[in-house]
Amino acid sequence: MNLSPLPLAVFVVDAAGTVRSWNKACEKLAGYGAADIQGMTLDRIVEFDEPPGAAASGAKQRLAARADAENEGVLKTADGQRLPVRITVAPQSFDPDAPGTYSVILIPRNGRHPPRYALIQDLPVADLIESLPCVFYVIDQSGHLLLWNRALEEALEMQAGELPSTNVKFFFDDKDRPLIVDKILGAFETGCSTHEAELVSKHGKRSSFLFQCARSTLGNVPVVFGTGLDITARRQAEHGLRVRERAIYSSLNAIVITHCEEGEHRIEYVNPAFERITGYTLAEIRGSDPRFMRIDGCDEDERSRIREALRRKEGVRAVLRNVRKNGEVFWNDLRIDPVANLDGDITHFVGVINDITEARHYERRLHHLAHHDPLTGLANRNLLQERLRHAIECAERDGFMVALAFLDLDNFKHINDNFGHDAGDAVLREVAQRLRASMREEDTIARMGGDEFVLLICDPASHAEVAELIERIRRSITAPVRVGEHEIVPGTSIGVSVFPDDGDSLEKMMRAADAAMYHAKTLGKNNFQFYSAELNQIVHEHLMLEANLSRAIRDNEMVLDYQPKVDLRSGKVVGAEALVRWRHPVDGLIPPERFIPVAEETGLIVPLGEWVIDEACAALKAMAALGVDDFVIAVNLSARQLRQRQFAERLGERLRRHGVDPRKLELEVTESHLMDHPEEALEALAQLKALGVRLSIDDFGTGYSSLSHLQKFPVDYIKIDRSFLGDVGHDGQLVITRAIIALGHNLRLKVIAEGVETREQIAFLRQHECDEMQGYYFSPALPRETLQEMVAKDARLPD
């Protein structure tokens, strides 16, 4: 049994220590009868251990010294036993008629009795009190518990042994304690009291309770007993209701609540916003049907939907017109929802009115802005998606084809950077006009933002017709655009997807067209591509490569190998070309032709190029440490690096930091990169040349160099592209190769042949006095350590 059916043993003594009253538990515990206890002094019954204030005179001083403190001692029973007890002495603050009296509460210490003092275990009331769905308590006039149930322990998160020594007011927050004391005092004085307060547990948990208590006696000890019902959930619900009531009152939207009964809907409440919007006060319209504001014969379809929803007792939303009190017509966006009682019956409806009159005045303009691009007047992404979704639905139903084309203008950033954003906008408007001229009325042309356009072609006759149309559009876009004094030639990369072959939803169609466009760009731009499953795999791999490349540079997955360069006259290794590879942790070694274009597109070529230069400088320092001072390492330079602001200045700082002679570093730039913007390239090369580094033109013969530009470029070497050495026996190749060697020498440049793989090629190059070679005939690209060993051993090209 958890509950003691008898309260704690308690004596009430006066200031002199004389027992004035006691409860039955005292008689049971001490073994004295009522006649024996009457008139005893506390000293005869209880002996305190090491009594504080022992030197003080008088019982009053001794009791006052022990009040509200933990005391221990023994109870001297009638049969002569000495029972160890814990003693609480508390002033009877709730007995205004007997000031200076004390409650002396005894708690056995020898384990003879359980914490809740089952001194009498055969009373059925114990089980009854313990099973109450509330807390139960008995308090004496000192404000201490004499009896309680387990529910109170759980609410306070306290052990039974902790409760008797604590005044009940300390179970509540500081601000609530005066109320608690007042209510308990009121119960002692008037016989009962009721109040609500929060119990604060030992660990800070707060629970709201409704307490009801009444005066009684235990033996001849006055007490208050009562119950506390946990109303935490109710309090929370009431708070929520107050918050919602305030929200309704403060809402900017008009709110009306109606009571429905027998098909009638009568207004019970409207908020201030309703009064402001409509002009009607609650006093004027309480009990009216909200339909009194309607306009006869107007918006009948919407009103019919509302009536049907109310009949079915369902929510509904409608947009309709009503009349204000002053006669003005206003548009309102109305939402009506039913409210059910606890039995699930619909008793009320809540209507929320949003005045959208001003918005309606601008509806046409807003609709156009929401669905069209402001620069070109074309459909925007929202309208395109609506029409594409509708086209797919119709195509599924009627079995026709839908084509979607994504267009991206090539090098549009270059147009903005070189001619200005106004010129760029003019090009976009002209492209839009050309697209309108090429497309049918029933098709859709959209601008997705920036330089991206989309064409939606409904029900074309065949794939061939789509291809002819797209090619015609591509040619029309590439025609020059006159902007002021400038003539700008735009290009476009186009990707096409077809329903149902390439996707059965809007999202799949758009992804497929975008992937096809991306592939068109990777193939050299200014072309169009249809989507295919194979293409999707290529694009996916490309995107994964792009996502992993930044991590690879950061995590040092890049490695640099060096292909030796050999002097064809002496056969000596005089330098090497640094070639970067990617050692992927899963895919193994990835060659540069796979990831360098991605690095160029994403801008990662810049940090990658800096890493390559750092590694090459480290290799040059290692060669110098071996005593090799005339060794040159060549590094490929991308167009993006060459166009970087202050690239030459930063390169100089990097060389000085590594302590490398600039003449030992060679920078290779492809012929095609130089000729894209020859004037800019000339300025950048001049700055690099001023540093002292060597410069070479890579892949010479594959571009469209003019002699006038070639004479101006401050380069030291030209490299013959490997394609001109494939078959030295071919007359055409012989002529071109000899011409390149002669041209280089006439311009006082050294000539290097790359991709040399056969003895016949070596013989040919020596015969025509080519200066240097590199290729598999002598050596593939090598790790730095292997290259150092080769140079240290003075490995040479055989005669």
Side-chain angles (χ1 to χ4, degrees), residues 225-521:
F225 72 93
T227 59
L229 183 65
D230 191 336
I231 58 170
T232 305
R234 192 197 79 186
R235 280 279 188 91
Q236 291 172 345
E238 289 173 351
H239 177 71
L241 286 173
R242 286 194 295 273
V243 171
R244 287 190 286 274
E245 182 180 355
R246 188 64 195 174
I248 290 172
Y249 184 86
S250 304
S251 173
L252 295 176
N253 289 330
I255 297 175
V256 55
I257 301 176
T258 64
H259 178 261
C260 60
E261 187 174 0
E262 297 180 354
E264 295 291 328
H265 300 270
R266 301 296 175 182
I267 295 174
E268 281 193 359
Y269 171 83
V270 297
N271 70 343
F274 182 95
E275 296 178 339
R276 175 178 52 80
I277 290 172
T278 67
Y280 293 100
T281 65
L282 177 59
E284 292 177 282
I285 60 175
R286 191 194 303 271
S288 301
D289 189 301
R291 289 180 295 177
F292 75 89
M293 293 186 295
R294 72 180 181 275
I295 303 172
D296 290 335
C298 186
D299 304 319
E300 285 301 324
D301 290 342
E302 293 290 86
R303 297 187 188 280
S304 176
R305 288 198 310 109
I306 293 173
R307 287 194 297 272
E308 182 61 23
L310 294 178
R311 186 187 64 78
R312 295 195 306 267
K313 297 187 176 182
E314 296 175 349
V316 64
R317 183 173 182 177
V319 176
L320 45 81
R321 283 161 285 186
N322 281 324
V323 181
R324 306 186 209 271
K325 186 177 180 180
N326 63 7
E328 290 181 2
V329 175
F330 70 100
W331 281 93
N332 61 84
D333 183 349
L334 173 64
R335 174 77 200 189
I336 302 175
D337 286 293
V339 180
N341 62 16
L342 294 177
D343 297 326
D345 298 325
I346 304 301
T347 60
H348 292 76
F349 280 89
V350 177
V352 180
I353 299 171
N354 182 21
D355 186 348
I356 59 171
T357 307
E358 185 175 352
R360 279 281 173 160
H361 290 163
Y362 300 100
E363 185 174 3
R364 289 182 180 275
R365 181 171 177 270
L366 290 174
H367 184 273
H368 186 273
L369 290 175
H371 291 85
H372 291 81
D373 170 51
L375 177 66
T376 62
L378 298 176
N380 64 8
R381 181 186 297 270
N382 294 333
L383 185 55
L384 171 70
Q385 290 181 342
E386 288 180 14
R387 292 187 177 175
L388 177 56
R389 189 176 288 108
H390 177 70
I392 290 174
E393 291 173 356
C394 294
E396 285 180 329
R397 183 186 66 239
D398 301 331
F400 60 78
M401 183 170 66
V402 175
L404 190 68
F406 272 35
L407 291 78
D408 187 85
L409 298 185
D410 298 331
N411 303 318
F412 185 71
K413 184 178 183 301
H414 174 75
I415 295 174
N416 276 332
D417 291 346
N418 287 274
F419 301 101
H421 287 276
D422 289 342
D425 289 347
V427 170
L428 293 173
R429 285 192 290 267
E430 177 60 26
V431 168
Q433 189 55 41
R434 293 176 184 181
L435 291 173
R436 286 191 188 96
S438 301
M439 299 285 287
R440 303 171 302 180
E441 283 291 330
E442 60 267 30
D443 295 330
T444 298
I445 311 164
R447 179 181 175 224
M448 303 291 277
D451 59 342
E452 295 182 358
F453 297 84
V454 179
L455 310 178
L456 172 60
I457 307 162
C458 293
D459 196 16
S462 64
H463 288 71
E465 182 180 281
V466 173
E468 291 173 5
L469 171 63
I470 298 302
E471 176 59 21
R472 187 165 66 249
I473 288 171
R474 189 195 65 78
R475 287 197 302 268
S476 73
I477 290 176
T478 56
V481 178
R482 173 66 64 176
V483 181
E485 298 178 355
H486 302 289
E487 190 174 78
I488 301 172
V489 181
T492 182
S493 299
I494 307 174
V496 184
S497 63
V498 175
F499 175 86
D501 301 346
D502 302 328
D504 57 0
S505 68
L506 177 151
E507 293 78 11
K508 291 178 181 178
M509 286 283 288
M510 295 186 74
R511 282 200 301 269
D514 191 44
M517 181 190 72
Y518 189 88
H519 187 55
K521 280 189 172 295

Side-chain angles (χ1 to χ4, degrees), residues 695-763:
L695 300 172
S696 65
I697 300 177
D698 196 12
D699 298 337
F700 190 82
T702 60
Y704 300 94
S705 298
S706 66
L707 287 177
S708 61
H709 281 117
L710 192 58
Q711 291 180 86
K712 294 176 183 178
F713 290 144
V715 297
D716 303 286
Y717 301 88
I718 58 175
K719 295 184 72 174
I720 304 173
D721 186 76
R722 67 182 61 237
S723 61
F724 297 111
L725 289 174
D727 182 3
V728 295
H730 190 280
D731 289 342
Q733 289 175 324
L734 286 174
V735 171
I736 294 173
T737 306
R738 285 198 303 266
I740 293 174
I741 295 171
L743 175 63
H745 289 163
N746 288 332
L747 292 174
R748 298 181 181 178
L749 304 176
K750 286 191 174 183
V751 182
I752 305 171
E754 59 180 347
V756 179
E757 298 179 352
T758 66
R759 181 184 297 273
E760 291 76 18
Q761 291 172 339
I762 292 289

Side-chain angles (χ1 to χ4, degrees), residues 60 77 146 223 266 305 325 330 370 389 433 438 446 517 568 584 608 630 661 693 712:
K60 181 176 180 179
T77 65
L146 302 183
V223 295
R266 301 296 175 182
R305 288 198 310 109
K325 186 177 180 180
F330 70 100
R389 189 176 288 108
Q433 189 55 41
S438 301
M517 181 190 72
L568 282 167
H584 194 281
L608 178 59
D630 56 351
D661 184 347
V693 298
K712 294 176 183 178

Side-chain angles (χ1 to χ4, degrees), residues 568 725-729 734 753 755-768 770 773-779 796-799:
L568 282 167
L725 289 174
D727 182 3
V728 295
L734 286 174
V756 179
E757 298 179 352
T758 66
R759 181 184 297 273
E760 291 76 18
Q761 291 172 339
I762 292 289
F764 175 82
L765 292 171
R766 278 176 166 163
Q767 179 185 352
H768 294 90
C770 185
M773 63 76 65
Q774 66 183 89
Y776 274 85
Y777 180 77
F778 180 75
S779 172
R796 294 187 178 235
L797 181 69
D799 294 334

